[in-house]
């Protein structure tokens, strides 16, 4: 029994953001927004706002479709004076300055990295606009970092960063595909996307 292989149906697919620190999302706009909403709500439901911070760089029209994200406590700094949402280049640059202050040490030094990562929130940056993502030099440094510096980037636009380590390809009326890049022997994993309704949104926002 121990050596026998089993196949389980309808199991969740794990997206290892701490390993695949740059993840790309492909599909039409509606599919990408639905997937990002689901992923954001899953993170918010499973992690406190002092454990994970979420940063959003997107157009105003996309923000209107993801309006519920404005009210999550995970999108604010600890003083609730800065909200991590940018829809313009000036806003994206200002958020880049904020992130730079917190992560320059992680990018420059390796000695106490693990200790520092344990003592501060993990950051997930959702970028739906390439120009807004690359509006500050610190974003390029994070993309090019060989090790996890306490930040993961989820890029949801057509021209994905060359540093992308995994790709979610969303398809209508058929199974979507998770592909891990650069791993020997890795295979595509097919999955079906669940849709979070209003009840799930309410639960995540009230956590």
């Amino acid at each position: 029994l121990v050596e026998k292989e089993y196949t389980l149906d309808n199991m969740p697919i794990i997206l290892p953001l701490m390993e695949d620190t740059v993840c790309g999302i492909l599909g039409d706009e509606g599919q990408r927004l639905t997937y990002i909403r689901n992923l954001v709500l899953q993170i918010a439901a499973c992690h406190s706002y002092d454990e994970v911070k979420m940063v959003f760089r997107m157009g105003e029209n996309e923000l209107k479709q993801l309006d519920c994200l404005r009210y999550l406590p995970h999108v604010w700094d600890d003083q609730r004076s800065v909200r991590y949402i940018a829809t313009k280049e000036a806003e994206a640059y200002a958020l880049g300055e904020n992130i730079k202050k917190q992560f320059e040490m992680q990018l420059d030094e390796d000695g106490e990295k693990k200790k520092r990562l344990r003592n501060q929130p993990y950051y997930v940056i959702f970028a739906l606009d390439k120009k807004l993502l690359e509006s500050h030099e610190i974003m390029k440094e994070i993309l090019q970092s060989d090790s996890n510096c306490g930040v993961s980037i989820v890029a949801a636009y057509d021209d994905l960063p060359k540093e992308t380590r995994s790709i979610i390809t969303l398809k209508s009326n058929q199974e979507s595909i998770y592909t891990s890049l650069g791993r020997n022997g890795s295979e595509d994993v097919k999955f079906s996307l669940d849709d979070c309704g209003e009840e799930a949104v309410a639960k995540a926002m009230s956590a």
Side-chain angles (χ1 to χ4, degrees):
L1 289 177
V2 174
E3 296 179 355
K4 187 176 181 179
E5 294 184 358
Y6 294 89
T7 300
L8 301 178
D9 296 326
N10 299 319
M11 297 297 292
I13 299 298
I14 303 300
L15 180 62
L17 288 176
M18 295 188 73
E19 297 176 17
D20 299 340
T21 52
V22 183
C23 176
I25 311 295
L26 296 177
D28 64 40
E29 183 181 33
Q31 293 169 327
R32 289 185 296 207
L33 290 176
T34 297
Y35 183 84
I36 287 173
R37 184 189 65 175
N38 289 4
L39 180 57
V40 167
L41 294 176
Q42 180 72 20
I43 293 173
C46 295
H47 301 279
S48 170
Y49 61 86
D50 59 355
E51 296 175 329
V52 176
K53 301 291 186 185
M54 290 185 274
V55 182
F56 296 91
R57 294 165 177 258
M58 64 179 73
E60 292 183 359
N61 290 333
E62 294 164 328
L63 180 58
K64 288 179 182 178
Q65 297 181 65
L66 296 173
D67 191 60
C68 64
L69 307 183
R70 293 174 180 267
Y71 310 104
L72 292 172
H74 304 70
V75 305
W76 291 90
D77 69 352
D78 291 337
Q79 292 73 40
R80 293 191 67 83
S81 60
V82 177
R83 186 163 60 182
Y84 297 133
I85 298 177
T87 59
K88 299 179 176 65
E89 285 191 59
E91 296 171 343
Y93 185 86
L95 286 183
E97 284 291 296
N98 183 285
I99 292 173
K100 179 180 178 181
K101 294 176 183 177
Q102 300 181 56
F103 291 100
E104 269 188 322
M105 188 177 296
Q106 278 89 320
L107 289 166
D108 293 338
E109 302 175 11
D110 290 326
E112 297 293 325
K113 181 177 293 185
K114 290 184 179 179
K115 181 178 179 181
R116 289 196 300 272
L117 291 180
R118 286 197 302 267
N119 294 333
Q120 68 179 41
Y122 194 85
Y123 281 68
V124 182
I125 299 174
F126 292 89
L128 285 76
D129 186 297
K130 182 178 181 179
K131 199 171 184 180
L132 292 179
L133 176 62
E134 298 177 350
S135 62
H136 197 290
E137 189 65 29
I138 191 65
M139 293 295 108
K140 297 177 184 177
E141 293 182 33
I142 292 172
L143 282 170
Q144 295 168 5
S145 177
D146 292 331
S147 60
N148 189 325
C149 59
V151 186
S152 290
I153 295 175
V154 178
Y157 47 80
D158 293 334
D159 186 17
L160 295 177
K162 65 179 183 299
E163 297 86 1
T164 299
R165 301 182 182 181
S166 63
I167 297 176
I168 300 290
T169 304
L170 303 170
K171 299 185 178 182
S172 299
N173 302 321
Q174 56 181 306
E175 292 179 319
S176 298
I177 301 172
Y178 164 76
T179 305
S180 181
L181 306 175
R183 294 182 184 174
N184 295 329
S186 177
E187 296 182 358
D188 292 344
V189 178
K190 295 182 179 180
F191 68 96
S192 298
L193 181 62
D194 293 328
D195 186 19
C196 291
E198 293 299 323
E199 183 179 354
V201 174
K203 285 183 179 180
M205 289 177 59
S206 62

